[in-house]
Amino acid sequence: MSNRKIAPYIFLIPWVIGMLIFRLYPFANSLRLSFMRYRLMSPNNRFIGLDNYIRMFTTDRTFKLSLEATLKYVLLTVPLVLVFSLFVAFVLNFKLKFINFFRTAYYIPSILGGNVAIVTLWQFLFETRGLINTLITSLGGTPVRWYTDPNLAMLVMSLLRAWQFGSTMVIFLAALQNVPKSLYEAGAIDGASKLRMFFAITIPIITPVILFNFVMRTVNAFQEFNSSYLITQGGPNYATYLLNVYIYETAFRRNLNMGYASALSWVLFVLIMILTAIVFRSSKYWVHYSD
């Protein structure tokens, strides 16, 4: 084999090494630890089989509460992000004045993301004496206790995720711009209204993109950590205590129980895989490919 053909494989070696060390090894090792009683700094670590999983589904009330909060968060956040992103993309698809400025402005929240600074700002906005309540009281309303009502606390977390809709919106916008104009012209000749054309032409054509965004937003929602840990601290009464926070606290704050935290992580991983498989399985009924 010539040097020219070998060169690409040589350039791939650093990536392969990084993949093996930082991805595959921790992934496989966490599965091993999930079958062990494994605490850092403990001399009594040993294999216990399925005990971690049995404990999780039989006696661990915190796991059930965190799983329930996580599912509620996903069910509330994913549709909210998708609908809002598609709506903004649809509006930005029109030829408006200063359209490039508005597209950039709507994408900025995605660049900022949900980092600690933004989460802290979000926490300030919804405090009892925060900006939102100040606006409500200035309009004659009563201050809302956002963090003591379980439903409102979950809503605040979901709004933070929905605020980062920029990347989803950009993907929707690209899909909308690729819808053939001839289809709209044919619809107009047949007397179809704008709303009718949106649901009969636009939505069916962009269903592959809806599928992609749906899967990506679902996985991202299951990975949420900052908002639960920093804004609500899991409260009130575990109503916003997401599974990722429980995994973190089990691994690093509660006796460094790596074995049980690994078992929790694998349950979360399997749950995401099952839901993703169901979505892909159902896609043959509602996703339309051009070819």
Side-chain angles (χ1 to χ4, degrees):
M1 186 179 290
S2 65
N3 291 337
R4 188 180 179 84
K5 291 183 178 179
I6 294 175
Y9 297 100
I10 294 177
F11 285 122
L12 280 175
I13 289 177
W15 178 85
V16 172
I17 293 175
M19 185 71 179
L20 291 173
I21 295 177
F22 299 110
R23 295 283 185 177
L24 291 183
Y25 172 73
F27 187 74
N29 195 43
S30 68
L31 179 61
R32 181 181 68 86
L33 293 179
S34 72
F35 297 107
M36 297 180 65
R37 181 192 179 282
Y38 191 93
R39 299 174 189 268
L40 288 181
M41 314 300 289
S42 172
N44 300 319
N45 296 325
R46 66 182 188 280
F47 180 78
I48 57 174
L50 295 173
D51 283 5
N52 282 331
Y53 295 96
I54 294 172
R55 170 191 163 193
M56 196 184 308
F57 288 102
T58 56
T59 62
D60 190 351
R61 182 172 174 271
T62 305
F63 166 71
K64 294 175 182 174
L65 292 173
S66 63
L67 181 61
E68 182 182 348
T70 302
L71 292 176
K72 283 182 180 177
Y73 177 76
V74 173
L75 289 174
L76 181 61
T77 302
V78 174
L80 186 64
V81 173
L82 292 179
V83 171
F84 189 62
S85 302
L86 181 57
F87 172 75
V88 175
F90 184 73
V91 173
L92 294 181
N93 194 35
F94 290 106
K95 293 180 180 177
L96 305 173
K97 212 169 185 180
F98 307 115
I99 190 65
N100 289 331
F101 167 77
F102 288 117
R103 287 174 180 172
T104 305
Y106 279 114
Y107 188 71
I108 286 177
S110 282
I111 299 174
L112 298 174
N115 58 43
V116 175
I118 296 300
V119 170
T120 304
L121 174 64
W122 209 259
Q123 187 180 27
F124 167 75
L125 289 175
F126 287 92
E127 282 182 344
T128 305
R129 298 182 179 179
L131 179 62
I132 302 298
N133 274 339
T134 302
L135 292 174
I136 291 174
T137 52
S138 66
L139 296 173
T142 306
V144 180
R145 296 185 177 276
W146 299 97
Y147 300 132
T148 56
D149 184 297
N151 294 325
L152 292 178
M154 183 64 76
L155 179 63
V156 170
M157 288 172 48
S158 298
L159 289 176
L160 175 60
R161 172 59 66 179
W163 184 70
Q164 306 162 50
F165 68 96
S167 58
T168 308
M169 180 269 294
V170 168
I171 296 172
F172 273 136
L173 182 59
L176 291 173
Q177 291 180 339
N178 284 323
V179 178
K181 298 291 185 294
S182 59
L183 296 178
Y184 293 120
E185 292 169 0
I189 292 173
D190 289 341
S193 64
K194 295 286 185 185
L195 187 64
R196 173 69 175 168
M197 285 192 281
F198 178 76
F199 285 104
I201 297 175
T202 306
I203 292 295
I205 288 182
I206 68 170
T207 47
V209 176
I210 293 176
L211 171 66
F212 173 79
N213 275 335
F214 182 75
V215 172
M216 295 303 294
R217 291 314 109 202
T218 301
V219 173
N220 285 345
F222 273 108
Q223 294 175 333
E224 181 59 35
F225 177 84
N226 283 354
S227 59
S228 174
Y229 189 72
L230 296 175
I231 295 180
T232 64
Q233 291 84 45
N237 297 323
Y238 291 93
T240 60
Y241 192 67
L242 300 184
L243 198 50
N244 280 318
V245 178
Y246 186 36
I247 293 171
Y248 167 77
E249 293 193 337
T250 302
F252 300 105
R253 298 186 65 180
R254 296 179 182 177
N255 301 320
L256 304 176
N257 194 343
M258 295 293 174
Y260 195 65
S262 296
L264 289 168
S265 301
W266 270 91
V267 168
L268 178 60
F269 172 73
V270 171
L271 176 62
I272 294 174
M273 289 296 102
I274 290 174
L275 292 178
T276 304
I278 292 173
V279 171
F280 274 106
R281 186 74 176 175
S282 69
S283 66
K284 62 182 178 181
Y285 300 107
W286 60 275
V287 176
H288 308 281
Y289 295 100
S290 58
D291 54 349

